[in-house]
Amino acid sequence: MPEFDMAQYLNTDEDVAEYLSQVLEDGEPGVLAAALGHIAKARGMTEIARASGVKREALYRALRPGAHPRLDTVQRVCRALGVALTAKVIAPHPNCADTDRGPR
């Protein structure tokens, strides 16, 4: 059975952003690295390596399925891909429930 190639479906910036959003929403450890790898392959690994300042061989290792790349590597790759990882509130923190008073 041939391996599924996600890179062929990542044609636009919107495709990339939606894919990364879904990966982050699912919250599976180690999947973010593989997703960034799929996107980097779709955009051209050599170009992403150059733009991120990470050697191509190191990029392949850092972005393989199950890898746990350092945060600075993830940030450099995201910047090279033109995307940003963001945080959103999923449940209010008990110490921040009273927004009129600010953080305690």
Side-chain angles (χ1 to χ4, degrees), residues 73-98:
T73 301
V74 171
Q75 289 173 323
R76 291 166 79 174
V77 170
C78 285
R79 216 173 357 264
L81 293 171
V83 297
L85 304 181
T86 61
K88 66 179 182 177
V89 175
I90 56 172
H93 188 278
N95 291 342
C96 296
D98 185 1

Side-chain angles (χ1 to χ4, degrees), residues 22-86:
Q22 189 61 52
V23 165
L24 292 170
E25 186 78 24
D26 291 345
E28 289 293 322
V31 176
L32 177 60
L36 289 171
H38 295 145
I39 298 165
K41 286 176 187 171
R43 298 284 171 94
M45 192 66 82
T46 301
E47 175 62 26
I48 298 307
R50 186 196 59 72
S52 67
V54 178
K55 293 185 181 199
R56 193 170 61 90
E57 297 79 17
L59 204 54
Y60 274 109
R61 282 192 306 274
L63 303 182
R64 70 181 184 271
H68 298 284
R70 294 176 11 183
L71 180 58
D72 70 314
T73 301
V74 171
Q75 289 173 323
R76 291 166 79 174
V77 170
C78 285
R79 216 173 357 264
L81 293 171
V83 297
L85 304 181
T86 61

